[in-house]
Amino acid sequence: LWAGPTRLTVAGFFFWNSGTKEQRSQLGLLRSLLFTILQQYQELIPVVLPWLWAKRYSEALDPFTHHPQEVLPLSKLMEAFSNLLKQNTVSMKLCLFIDGLDEYDGDHSSIAELFVSIAMSPNVKVCVSSRPLLEFEDCFTSFPDLRLQDLTVGDIRNYVNDNLRVSQRY
């Protein structure tokens, strides 16, 4: 209902502290989200990444010269994501699912504030999941929340009573 007739685009990211540096970083988050979204809206690449588009265009005019791949720094990815949220070239609603926010390898307050600012866009909905951390509880206090453990406590109790109590090992 929220998207109405506007095309809904869904993108997600899972922070994983046992994974690579990019799997637990803001750099990896933004690269993944931008890739997922721009893969579906390739016409937005020149709008979201104008400096990179211009560079690639000029390199295409000189095909005989080797052009090394470039890894965009966090500042450029932040700028690109901001461009994506502000663009009005393509009408879209964006829904982001971010899991494992507590496994982010950085300042938890700053990543929480990033998602609060993203969620302020009228065309974006954000769903984040995390173990309970004070930084997130403080930052997300005005947003709806769901504590899964409160909904499953009865099921967990039943499982323990039915399966673990009868085991001699427990």
Side-chain angles (χ1 to χ4, degrees), residues 153-167:
V153 68
D155 294 330
I156 293 169
R157 186 177 295 114
N158 290 339
Y159 181 84
V160 168
N161 288 334
D162 294 346
N163 295 295
L164 299 182
R165 265 200 190 160
V166 297
S167 172

Side-chain angles (χ1 to χ4, degrees), residues 76 92 98 168:
K76 287 293 188 183
M92 78 163 128
I98 310 300
Q168 291 182 356

Side-chain angles (χ1 to χ4, degrees), residues 114-128:
L114 171 67
F115 284 110
V116 168
S117 69
I118 290 170
M120 292 299 138
S121 170
N123 296 318
V124 179
K125 297 276 185 187
V126 179
C127 179
V128 297

Side-chain angles (χ1 to χ4, degrees), residues 71-98:
V71 177
L72 295 179
L74 181 58
S75 61
K76 287 293 188 183
L77 291 171
M78 288 290 291
E79 184 179 340
F81 203 78
S82 177
N83 289 345
L84 174 69
L85 296 179
K86 291 187 288 187
Q87 68 83 28
N88 57 11
T89 305
V90 172
S91 179
M92 78 163 128
K93 298 282 187 173
L94 184 58
C95 185
L96 303 176
F97 291 94
I98 310 300

